[in-house]
Amino acid sequence: MTLRAIVVAVACVLPTLGTAASLERVFELLAIPQMVDVMRSEGLDYARDLATDMRSGGADSSWNTVLNRIYDAPTMEETVQRGMSSILEGQDLSSIVAFFDDGVGAHVVELEISARRAMVDDGIDAAARDQFRDLTASNELRIRHLERFVQANDLIDTNVAGNLNSSIQFYFGMADAGGIAL
């Protein structure tokens, strides 16, 4: 489950308790700047790979200029906060703050950020794939449990849809920045 999904679920499920917490506190607890930093790294890595695949010379200075405009951290952070604000505006955020301020909620945020950082590390990715291959060969029951978890939580379709949406937004950003013509 992504951090966004957790925030939406918490905002929709928890009842209003009567005291309002600030959106800024929620953004702080969700470590939005750190999450944006990871999202920026993911996007830049993807764009560099894309340049290698699509452009004869790979990434050049004009490509990198466009990337820096698309993946401008302050703009990205403002966009995330604006989107979350539209979902959470008018809600009593006390329960969200209480959940993410300590214990499980704070740990979820830490794990989400560390997992996403790990996913862009080629060495960690290779090690995880090796470990999965070993697990597949030695522990069929655990693999079946993992497959059921993936299916029950619709992780494949959700991730494919998210990646397709991200890709199209990337192309729109490249076009808007003058990097490609659509």
Side-chain angles (χ1 to χ4, degrees), residues 2-126:
T2 66
L3 192 56
R4 179 175 181 236
I6 291 169
V7 171
V8 171
V10 170
C12 293
V13 173
L14 292 176
T16 302
L17 297 177
T19 59
S22 71
L23 280 169
E24 290 78 21
R25 181 70 177 136
V26 172
F27 298 150
E28 176 187 333
L29 292 170
L30 293 177
I32 298 300
Q34 294 90 331
M35 185 59 72
V36 165
D37 182 57
V38 172
M39 291 171 16
R40 183 177 190 278
S41 293
E42 291 169 344
L44 289 172
D45 283 350
Y46 171 72
R48 287 185 194 108
D49 290 344
L50 189 64
T52 301
D53 294 342
M54 289 180 56
R55 298 171 58 108
S56 61
D60 59 13
S61 62
S62 65
W63 182 265
N64 290 327
T65 298
V66 169
L67 290 182
N68 286 327
R69 287 177 52 200
I70 293 170
Y71 291 106
D72 176 66
T75 302
M76 290 176 67
E77 189 172 333
E78 179 184 322
T79 301
V80 169
Q81 289 181 354
R82 189 175 43 244
M84 289 180 66
S85 293
S86 70
I87 294 169
L88 299 174
E89 195 69 46
Q91 301 291 319
D92 180 2
L93 305 176
S94 301
S95 296
I96 295 173
V97 168
F99 178 76
F100 286 106
D101 198 25
D102 192 23
V104 174
H107 193 60
V108 166
V109 172
E110 290 171 19
L111 290 174
E112 174 75 13
I113 292 170
S114 67
R116 291 186 73 148
R117 283 192 175 128
M119 288 172 24
V120 296
D121 183 313
D122 292 336
I124 291 175
D125 180 66

Side-chain angles (χ1 to χ4, degrees), residues 136-164:
T136 303
S138 66
N139 195 336
E140 192 173 316
L141 178 62
R142 187 165 183 198
I143 293 300
R144 283 197 311 263
H145 287 302
L146 289 170
E147 288 170 345
R148 279 196 298 262
F149 178 83
V150 167
Q151 185 178 14
N153 291 289
D154 195 28
L155 296 180
I156 294 173
D157 289 347
T158 300
N159 281 311
V160 168
N163 284 326
L164 289 172

